[in-house]
Amino acid sequence: MLFNIIRNDWRNLRADRSLWIIGALLAVLIGYGVHNGGAWVRFQQDTLTQAAEEEAGRLTLIKTSIESANAGRANPPSWRDPRNPFAVGNTQAAHYVSMPPAPLAALAVGQSDLLPYYFKLSLKSRDTLLGNDEIENPVHLLSGRFDLAFVIIYLFPLLVLALSYNLISSEKEDGTLAMTLSQPVRLGTLAWGKAGFRALFILALSTLISLAGTLASGVNLSAAGASPRFLLWVAVVAAYGAFWFAAAVAVNALGRSSATNAIALAGLWLGFVLLIPALLNVTVKALHPVPSRVELIQAMRVASDDITRQRSQLMAKYLEDHPEFAAATDDSMAQYAIRTAAILDELDRRVQPVLATFDEQLTLQQAMVDRYRFLSPAILVQSALYDLAGTNLYRYRHFLHLTEQFHAAWRTHFEPLIARNVRLTPAHINSLPRFHFQEEPFQAVFTRTTAALAGLGLSALLAAALSAWWLRRYPVAA
Amino acid sequence: MLEAQNLSKTYSGTPALHPLSLKIEPGEVYCLLGANGAGKTTTINLFLNFIEPTSGTALVNGLDVVQQPLESKRRLAYIPEQVMLYRNLTGLENLEYFTALGSTETFSKGQLLAFLDEAGLPAGAAEKRVSTYSKGMRQKVGIAIASAKGAKALLLDEPTSGLDPKASNEFSALLKRLSDGGAAILMATHDLFRAKETGTRVGIMKHGRMMAELRTEEFGHADLERVYLEHMHD
Ligand SMILES: Nc1ncnc2c1ncn2[C@@H]1O[C@H](COP(=O)(O)OP(=O)(O)OP(=O)(O)O)[C@@H](O)[C@H]1O
Ligand SMILES: [Mg+2]
């Protein structure tokens, strides 16, 4: 029975030009989206490579400068002396900490073009948040580029609806419904057979095209964690497609005309894909505003002024807290280093509350989105896809966390060198701490994405249940 | 066998069919006559379980069509006034599909073509798209679908409207054959001549009510027309 329905539907679709148009459109959109994402990833990788090269060159230069200074060929002022641990730790050997694009980053640019993916780190206060004044909250859907995630969230539903808005209504309008239902066939079998077949068809098509595009754009699916992420990606898209097909069946089950169905479904699309996300976005921003960059700079300025005025007290206090530096106080370079360290410490302390608010508000925003994303399948899909691509706030905050840890390690590394007034050698430069980005554990991504997947599945089931209910009272003859 | 037991249908307070009791035995051809809006299609749709009865039951071979919709439809064939087919498929593909849905038997292409030929579809049309068919050609595919199903009960809603006289005549011959084979046939029609020719009984309906039932062998053509028109007056 089902086989006959599917074969017949296939024959009809095959004879109809719209299927080929939809297929071709899908291929073009997916191809263009993946291409865009791939270009962005390559740009990031190139930038990181350039940064690493610049840094390597700089370190080599430091080593040769150390040698010439030692040989007496050069006599740099102490604040620029490559043997001075403060000068090296604070500027000369500044290290790029970077978050390389995740394996599937090419599939969703997400927020990664708004968030920094590398910092030049030195002894200075952490200024990681200063570099980016545009941290967007997680539901800023329209900020996205034309990437695969955009195609899936916005356009894929439209293609699904183009294939399903008149699933039953057209048969009723063409009169074939009465012919079919005079045979021993349930309306439900017909509706789900057609919807299921079309869903499988478009899903297989989009998976194949995505896979081809993904591989073509240079994504390495054998990279660690890449293939389970890709499988989850496909599952999320499948669940999203299932939701829209079920919604189309539900609307069809009301027994209205194809034109009415098209309008109703366009309305649903508008609501779920544009309106609810926009409303959530506005609400999240209003309830948990992130301090602006101006506020942060203002706080820093006030702090600096204060600190400059109380320089000597600060230094005395700093020396109290760090008795190990006391021995070095007669060297002018060390004096400068200690004073700077004291000032930076204080500045750090003063700006901390603003930074903390920043972090807190972002956390609150994320928490709110995590809670209310279940209001719209589109938000669920977006959160899951960005998560799988590693272009969301979660991975970014993980990166910030690692950066802070590294910053502490960098200071810990240099402080004793400064305190003991050690003269650096090339060996010191070779053994500087290096930052290695560690991916967030897959378990965390998995938990968040499967929650979204469950939400999507539930929405699809709800729509299917409504369909089943309405199909039973479908007016075949009227 | 087709049977209606106090079968009625009311649309938001307006009765479309007053309680109707009717029994059509195997071998009988029952013709429903009546003006537009008399309730003929309503009766047929109730047998098809396309609409829910307000009261009473419709039985096909003793099976309640509401309780056992699939089992009863296995025994039914239906030809509407407009046989609507999948336009982009050929007549043969349409026949293949509906036959596959309706019967447990699988037919070869040759057998399917024979059904179409028997129904009077011009040779060569079977493998053309239905969108190129005339109305009469589509009716003939409908007839082929019904006869391939070998149903024990036929519901025909003005099946010959739009058929040319020759096709209409062939259709009558086909009906005769099916009814001789033991099918119970219910046919709504406006064609008094055909009703007298092929029907064994006629029922005249008006405003959802069965006004008169006659056996066709008991009167001539002229009588039928007179009785019909009498009932239509008021
Ligand atoms: N879905 C509906 N809602 C309300 N009234 C309806 C509906 N379908 C039919 N009717 C009414 O039921 C009555 C019987 O209609 P029906 O279609 O059975 O007539 P008919 O005898 O088949 O007429 P015709 O010769 O024109 O085909 C009509 O008055 C019609 O207006
Ligand atoms: Mg009618």
Side-chain angles (χ1 to χ4, degrees), chain A residues 175 178-179, chain B residues 78-84 139 155-160:
Chain A
M179 293 297 293
Chain B
Y78 168 57
I79 302 178
E81 182 181 351
Q82 299 261 7
V83 171
M84 299 308 285
Q139 291 307 104
L155 298 169
L156 313 172
D157 196 351
E158 303 178 37
T160 54

Side-chain angles (χ1 to χ4, degrees), chain B residues 219-232:
Chain B
F219 54 84
H221 286 300
D223 299 326
L224 179 56
E225 186 164 13
R226 188 176 43 74
V227 174
Y228 179 84
L229 290 176
E230 264 170 23
H231 280 292
M232 290 308 113

Side-chain angles (χ1 to χ4, degrees), chain A residues 1 4-8 11-12 14-16 171 173-186 190 194 472 474-478, chain B residues 45 48-51 69-71 73-74 76 78 80 82-89 93 96-103 129 142 145 149:
Chain A
M1 184 66 55
N4 286 311
I5 289 173
I6 289 171
R7 186 179 56 175
N8 189 59
R11 282 178 172 173
N12 276 304
R14 201 180 43 184
D16 188 3
E171 296 235 13
E173 284 153 14
D174 294 349
T176 47
L177 187 65
M179 293 297 293
T180 305
L181 294 182
S182 72
Q183 305 297 345
V185 182
R186 281 183 204 285
L190 179 71
K194 288 180 76 176
R472 284 198 296 168
Y474 187 84
V476 179
Chain B
N45 282 343
L48 285 163
N49 192 31
F50 283 177
I51 51 181
L70 297 191
E71 279 311 302
K73 277 176 192 166
R74 245 180 258 293
L76 270 185
Y78 168 57
Q82 299 261 7
V83 171
M84 299 308 285
L85 303 166
Y86 293 99
R87 300 169 46 78
N88 288 328
L89 305 188
E93 284 172 326
E96 185 190 6
Y97 173 55
F98 288 113
T99 307
L101 289 184
S103 79
R129 283 192 179 200
I145 293 169
K149 196 170 179 182

Side-chain angles (χ1 to χ4, degrees), chain A residues 373-395:
Chain A
R373 69 191 160 143
F374 294 95
L375 285 179
S376 155
I379 307 179
L380 283 173
V381 169
Q382 195 225 25
S383 72
L385 296 188
Y386 285 8
D387 212 343
L388 291 169
T391 50
N392 59 346
L393 265 186
Y394 276 113
R395 189 163 181 262

Side-chain angles (χ1 to χ4, degrees), chain A residues 187-236:
Chain A
L187 180 57
T189 314
L190 179 71
W192 293 120
K194 288 180 76 176
F197 166 65
R198 290 171 185 218
L200 277 183
F201 178 84
I202 195 163
L203 196 72
L205 196 66
S206 21
T207 307
L208 278 180
I209 303 171
S210 300
L211 192 61
T214 303
L215 295 176
S217 77
V219 171
N220 178 10
L221 280 182
S222 58
S227 44
R229 279 180 170 81
F230 189 76
L231 288 180
L232 275 172
W233 180 287
V234 172
V236 168

Side-chain angles (χ1 to χ4, degrees), chain A residues 77-371:
Chain A
S78 68
W79 58 273
R80 259 175 48 191
D81 194 320
R83 293 164 300 184
N84 174 345
F86 181 77
V88 169
N90 198 36
T91 46
Q92 293 184 15
H95 181 44
Y96 288 108
V97 297
S98 59
M99 168 172 67
L104 298 189
L107 303 190
V109 172
Q111 286 155 298
S112 68
D113 58 349
L114 300 172
L115 302 172
Y117 53 98
Y118 68 94
F119 300 113
K120 196 173 178 181
L121 215 77
S122 67
L123 286 175
K124 284 198 195 86
S125 166
R126 73 161 185 165
D127 57 357
T128 45
L129 288 174
L130 270 178
N132 52 91
D133 49 332
E134 281 180 312
I135 292 186
E136 279 301 324
N137 88 51
V139 265
H140 199 146
L141 277 171
L142 273 174
S143 72
R145 294 196 182 193
F146 196 102
D147 55 6
L148 183 59
F150 173 85
V151 173
I152 289 168
I153 296 165
Y154 293 92
L155 308 178
F156 180 68
L158 291 178
L159 296 187
V160 167
L161 295 182
L163 265 184
S164 58
Y165 77 98
N166 61 359
L167 205 65
I168 310 172
S169 56
S170 72
E171 296 235 13
K172 186 169 171 181
E173 284 153 14
D174 294 349
T176 47
L177 187 65
M179 293 297 293
T180 305
L181 294 182
S182 72
Q183 305 297 345
V185 182
R186 281 183 204 285
L187 180 57
T189 314
L190 179 71
W192 293 120
K194 288 180 76 176
F197 166 65
R198 290 171 185 218
L200 277 183
F201 178 84
I202 195 163
L203 196 72
L205 196 66
S206 21
T207 307
L208 278 180
I209 303 171
S210 300
L211 192 61
T214 303
L215 295 176
S217 77
V219 171
N220 178 10
L221 280 182
S222 58
S227 44
R229 279 180 170 81
F230 189 76
L231 288 180
L232 275 172
W233 180 287
V234 172
V236 168
V237 178
Y240 192 44
F243 166 77
W244 283 110
F245 270 108
V249 174
V251 168
N252 268 276
L254 289 172
R256 304 298 166 84
S257 71
S258 297
T260 311
N261 289 352
I263 292 168
L265 287 166
L268 279 184
W269 179 86
L270 206 69
F272 280 133
V273 177
L274 297 181
L275 239 49
I276 296 180
L279 280 178
L280 183 57
N281 187 29
V282 169
T283 316
V284 160
K285 271 188 173 165
L287 289 185
H288 305 295
V290 171
S292 70
R293 186 184 179 198
V294 179
E295 258 174 86
L296 191 60
I297 292 173
Q298 188 63 20
M300 289 190 89
R301 185 170 302 150
V302 172
S304 311
D305 290 352
D306 276 3
I307 289 164
T308 323
R309 264 184 270 117
Q310 323 162 348
R311 235 189 350 225
S312 42
Q313 288 114 291
L314 270 180
M315 188 156 161
K317 185 172 173 299
Y318 188 77
L319 282 175
E320 252 172 54
D321 294 346
H322 301 269
E324 70 274 16
F325 286 93
T329 43
D330 36 343
D331 184 285
S332 71
M333 184 62 229
Q335 281 277 338
Y336 172 72
I338 292 161
R339 194 167 59 237
T340 315
I343 289 172
L344 291 180
D345 235 33
E346 179 62 12
L347 201 58
D348 222 18
R349 209 177 56 73
R350 296 286 197 92
V351 179
Q352 198 53 43
V354 183
L355 289 179
T357 321
F358 209 100
D359 225 47
E360 247 167 56
Q361 295 296 82
L362 276 188
T363 313
L364 286 174
Q365 286 193 351
Q366 184 74 57
M368 190 168 168
V369 171
D370 281 352
R371 199 153 358 107

Side-chain angles (χ1 to χ4, degrees), chain B residues 63-210:
Chain B
L63 300 169
D64 183 333
V65 300
V66 176
Q67 301 299 325
Q68 289 169 288
L70 297 191
E71 279 311 302
S72 59
K73 277 176 192 166
R74 245 180 258 293
R75 293 159 176 78
L76 270 185
Y78 168 57
I79 302 178
E81 182 181 351
Q82 299 261 7
V83 171
M84 299 308 285
L85 303 166
Y86 293 99
R87 300 169 46 78
N88 288 328
L89 305 188
T90 65
L92 181 65
E93 284 172 326
N94 271 285
L95 174 63
E96 185 190 6
Y97 173 55
F98 288 113
T99 307
L101 289 184
S103 79
T104 43
E105 214 177 326
T106 40
F107 296 104
S108 69
K109 185 178 168 186
Q111 284 170 303
L112 292 173
L113 284 171
F115 281 119
L116 289 170
D117 186 53
E118 205 181 327
L121 194 72
E127 302 202 48
K128 290 215 175 81
R129 283 192 179 200
V130 166
S131 53
T132 65
Y133 283 20
S134 70
K135 185 198 163 184
M137 288 161 83
R138 278 188 278 117
Q139 291 307 104
K140 287 168 183 170
V141 177
I143 293 166
I145 293 169
S147 49
K149 196 170 179 182
K152 286 291 153 217
L154 265 73
L155 298 169
L156 313 172
D157 196 351
E158 303 178 37
T160 54
S161 85
L163 286 190
D164 61 61
K166 179 166 165 285
S168 193
N169 181 272
E170 284 165 1
F171 181 71
S172 298
L174 193 82
L175 273 195
K176 196 113 221 127
R177 200 141 31 87
L178 291 172
S179 101
D180 289 347
I185 300 174
L186 174 63
M187 173 162 73
T189 181
H190 293 297
D191 187 339
L192 300 184
F193 176 78
R194 266 305 134 219
K196 161 72 183 129
E197 283 294 289
T198 41
T200 53
R201 279 198 286 163
V202 298
I204 300 174
M205 292 184 83
K206 183 177 172 185
H207 301 322
R209 236 183 269 277
M210 186 60 82

